[in-house]
Structure formats: structure tokens, C-alpha cells
Amino acid sequence: MSETVTEPTIQGMPISDVYAGMKERNVKDSTEKLTATHVVIAGCGGLGTNIAIALTRIGVGRLTLIDFDSVELSNLNRQQFKLSQVGMPKVVAMKQNLQEFNPFVTIDTVQTEVTRDNVPDLFKDADIICEAFDNPAAKALLLDAVSAVFPDTPLVMGTGMAGVHSANTVTTKHPRPNLYIAGDGESKGAEGLMAPRVMVAAGHEANMITQLILGVTEL
């Protein structure tokens, strides 16, 4: 007698049903392009954690998270970590959270600081590079290095999301080929960083990445 093969389950539901159900409300015909894409996110702070969650929920096939830091109490007002994760490496904690949102996405983690020397290795497999740093100097370093080493790889950046200014001042610009910048371009971190406005800018970055994956050219 042949044995009956039982499909593995998640939360008591067949894996195939879970997979199909999670994509049911996505844009039509987007699944194949999303699952074939590798996005590398540099920074797991307010921008990076919110971007990673958005891309994980829609089913981008592979994400690589890069950050050298650990979760601190001061991060919790805007970054998508839990109180129980304070002290954990950010990339480890974020992978843990993302896998709960969507177990079908491959999440790679690299706990290191981005430098000019390691940019060629860290981003060599990226279809799209996402900058999500808090530090302006780190943003400038990545922009310069990626422009030199990977000029044909789209780079999506964020600048200007501090304070409690109007969310309508956050926009996405396309200043040159393969460079997209989200934010108001003016506000500084010294004003304070809070979840609502940071999430607006993160949403712009995540949406731009999604547009690039799906071939939508409008800003």
C-alpha cells in the first residue's frame, strides 16, 4: 500500500494555501517579479525596519539586512523592534520579526558596518540597493561608493524625515539615473525622530523599490 503524503502546514493550514492567501490582495501579476528580486537594505533603524517589513509583506523574494548595531531603548519610538529584543543585534531581531510576517521570504543578515572597502562585496548580488542610515556621513559614503562600483544598480535613499512637519513635504525625487531620494531634503535628526514621519519616508522608499521591481516609472 502506498502511503498518503500529507502536505506540511503552517498554523494548521496547508503551506500552499498560506502562500496563495498571503498574495491574494497583491497587485495582479506581481508575484513572479517580486519573488525574483533581491533587495539589500543598509541600515536597520527607523527607515530600514519599516522598509523591510513592507517588502516582506508583499513578498520580495530575498532581503539582505546590514547593520552593525544592537537594539536600544531609544530605538523603540520609531524602529520596528520589541522591548524583549533590547540588547539583541538589530539584524538578528529584525530577521526574527520578518519571518513571523512572511516565512516565504529569504532573509540574509550581515552584522557589520558599511565601509568603502566592503561595499563591493556587500552589494554585489543586489538587484536594488536601499540606503536606510541615520548618519549623513554614512549616507554620503554609500552614495559615492555605489555610484562608483555599481552605477547600473538602482539606489533608493532617504533624507529628511525628522520632526513633526507636514507629511506632505516628504516626496520622492529622481535626480539622476538609478538614484531615487525620498524625504523632505531639509529636516535634521537633531529635531528628533518620531515614528509617524519616519514611516512616511520609509513608505516612500519601499514604494519606490516596489515600482522599480514592477517596472512602474512614474514618481
Side-chain angles (χ1 to χ4, degrees), residues 4 33 53 64 79 82 90 118 120 130 157 173 181 195:
T4 301
K33 290 180 179 179
I53 286 175
T64 295
Q79 300 179 16
K82 307 168 188 175
K90 286 186 174 182
N118 63 20
C130 175
M157 305 185 67
K173 296 180 173 61
I181 302 177

Side-chain angles (χ1 to χ4, degrees), residues 14-217:
I15 285 180
S16 59
D17 290 352
V18 175
Y19 184 80
M22 290 178 67
K23 297 180 180 299
E24 186 176 349
R25 295 296 299 272
N26 267 6
V27 170
K28 185 179 179 181
D29 298 327
S30 62
T31 295
E32 186 174 340
K33 290 180 179 179
L34 289 169
T35 55
T37 301
H38 178 203
V39 179
V40 179
I41 302 175
C44 278
L47 288 173
T49 57
N50 282 288
I51 293 165
I53 286 175
L55 298 181
T56 296
R57 288 192 181 280
I58 65 173
V60 169
R62 180 183 172 196
L63 298 179
T64 295
L65 311 178
I66 303 173
D67 201 297
F68 68 92
D69 211 354
S70 298
V71 180
E72 301 177 1
L73 286 171
S74 62
N75 302 148
L76 300 183
N77 79 322
R78 67 196 184 281
Q79 300 179 16
Q80 296 297 332
F81 299 110
K82 307 168 188 175
L83 185 58
S84 62
Q85 294 175 320
V86 170
M88 291 178 62
K90 286 186 174 182
V91 293
V92 174
M94 200 62 225
K95 178 175 181 176
Q96 183 182 88
N97 294 343
L98 295 176
Q99 288 178 323
E100 293 186 36
F101 296 137
N102 189 342
F104 303 106
V105 175
T106 299
I107 310 291
D108 299 322
T109 62
V110 183
Q111 189 178 1
T112 192
E113 185 172 6
V114 175
T115 67
R116 292 185 185 277
D117 291 337
N118 63 20
V119 162
D121 185 55
L122 291 176
F123 300 96
K124 63 184 178 183
D125 297 326
D127 296 310
I128 298 172
I129 298 170
C130 175
E131 178 277 317
F133 292 135
D134 291 336
N135 187 328
K139 291 176 183 288
L141 181 153
L142 187 62
L143 173 59
D144 290 346
V146 168
S147 298
V149 181
F150 302 111
D152 297 325
T153 303
L155 172 62
V156 180
M157 305 185 67
T159 180
M161 70 285 307
V164 290
H165 309 289
S166 171
N168 296 328
T169 61
V170 176
T171 61
T172 302
K173 296 180 173 61
H174 182 26
R176 69 181 196 224
N178 290 321
L179 177 61
Y180 304 84
I181 302 177
D184 63 26
E186 297 180 359
S187 59
K188 308 296 183 184
E191 296 182 56
L193 295 161
M194 297 172 68
R197 207 156 184 270
V198 171
M199 290 174 72
V200 171
H204 271 259
E205 284 198 69
N207 190 62
M208 190 69 250
I209 292 168
T210 305
Q211 287 184 280
L212 290 169
I213 294 170
L214 300 181
V216 179
T217 57

